[in-house]
Amino acid sequence: MKISTYYDRQRRTCIVVASDKSNVSLVKLDTSAGLRISLMPVNLFEDTYSEVAGYPIHKAIEQYSEFARYCGATQDVMNAFNGILDSEEKQGVDVKLTRLKLQQVKLLDGKAAKTQSDASADDTPPWGNDEPSVDNSKPTKKGKTAMARQPKVSVKVPSNSATSNTGSIKQPRRTAASAFKDLILTGQYSDDEIFATVQKEFGLDDSKRSYVAYYRRELKNKGLL
């Protein structure tokens, strides 16, 4: 089975990280339990999933890493993803930005995951069309629990970039608002599932349940849904 991204009849995706004659090792995008490697018999997998043709595997890992920043991933998943990126890099694929995002993933015990990237490597992200966006929303509601501190990452900034001359930038802080929006945009979860996931991560009380509908309307008004 080819190492790639696949989807089922409900358009739910997974990444195949390994396979043999009997079983397929895959990572499902499960924001409630975190990213884990599971096994599925080859014949069942072939009946259930189809390949997402033409979608780069490192881009899929990049997307999964964004979700794993708050839902977590096992070290086995991190090792598998890094192994795939090593193979992609040997084929000349630029995976610097993907490795940068992997550095922000937390393990399911709450710690930052260890990556296999070379600490001496140039980790300048390929800004171009893949420039990461910054969520400028500010938390204003009381009663919100403190977020787990994300590890600080410094990256080299191109000389023509409109930034300060400090030579580094800070990663944007993950917020409940961005978590709501990310989950809504996947189109894979009900409002109750979205609220339960964000509530668990950020300690929201039940009075915030209407936030899902609010952010869904906002995304529709912006033409994103």
Side-chain angles (χ1 to χ4, degrees):
M1 189 65 57
K2 180 181 178 183
I3 292 178
S4 184
T5 311
Y6 295 80
Y7 66 95
D8 64 12
R9 293 176 181 84
Q10 284 75 45
R11 312 297 294 182
R12 294 173 297 195
T13 63
C14 72
I15 295 176
V16 169
V17 296
S19 66
D20 55 31
K21 294 181 179 179
S22 302
N23 295 299
V24 176
S25 299
L26 61 148
V27 179
K28 296 180 181 179
L29 185 56
D30 186 344
T31 58
S32 59
L35 305 189
R36 302 172 185 271
I37 294 178
S38 57
L39 292 178
M40 181 178 289
V42 170
N43 57 348
L44 178 59
F45 182 87
E46 291 176 341
D47 290 340
T48 306
Y49 288 95
S50 301
E51 184 181 1
V52 181
Y55 191 69
I57 186 67
H58 71 283
K59 287 296 184 183
I61 293 175
E62 193 173 303
Q63 181 188 35
Y64 276 46
S65 298
E66 283 288 343
F67 285 99
R69 287 175 63 184
Y70 64 94
C71 72
T74 66
Q75 187 64 56
D76 286 343
V77 170
M78 292 297 298
N79 293 343
F81 281 175
N82 275 292
I84 293 172
L85 293 182
D86 289 343
S87 298
E88 291 289 291
E89 213 162 28
K90 289 177 182 178
Q91 298 176 33
V93 179
D94 189 345
V95 298
K96 296 186 183 72
L97 182 57
T98 307
R99 289 200 188 277
L100 183 64
K101 290 185 179 293
L102 275 177
Q103 291 173 4
Q104 302 303 305
V105 171
K106 71 175 183 180
L107 291 179
L108 290 175
D109 62 4
K111 298 178 181 178
K114 298 178 181 178
T115 64
Q116 299 174 354
S117 58
D118 184 359
S120 63
D122 178 8
D123 59 359
T124 304
W127 294 117
N129 293 329
D130 292 325
E131 182 172 358
S133 60
V134 177
D135 188 342
N136 292 320
S137 58
K138 297 180 180 179
T140 57
K141 302 294 182 181
K142 295 182 180 179
K144 183 177 179 180
T145 57
M147 290 177 58
R149 175 172 291 183
Q150 298 289 344
K152 294 182 179 179
V153 178
S154 293
V155 297
K156 296 178 182 179
V157 179
S159 59
N160 62 350
S161 177
T163 63
S164 63
N165 58 7
T166 59
S168 64
I169 61 175
K170 291 184 178 180
Q171 286 293 105
R173 184 174 63 174
R174 185 75 175 178
T175 66
S178 59
F180 277 123
K181 294 174 184 178
D182 284 345
L183 290 170
I184 291 169
L185 287 171
T186 65
Q188 298 179 6
Y189 306 101
S190 67
D191 286 4
D192 287 342
E193 290 173 326
I194 292 171
F195 180 74
T197 300
V198 181
Q199 181 183 43
K200 179 180 177 181
E201 176 66 20
F202 293 95
L204 304 182
D205 58 53
D206 288 339
S207 67
K208 308 298 191 299
R209 188 174 295 273
S210 62
Y211 283 18
V212 184
Y214 171 82
Y215 287 117
R216 189 181 294 279
R217 285 196 301 271
E218 179 181 305
L219 293 170
K220 285 183 178 179
N221 290 337
K222 291 182 178 179
L224 299 175
L225 285 179

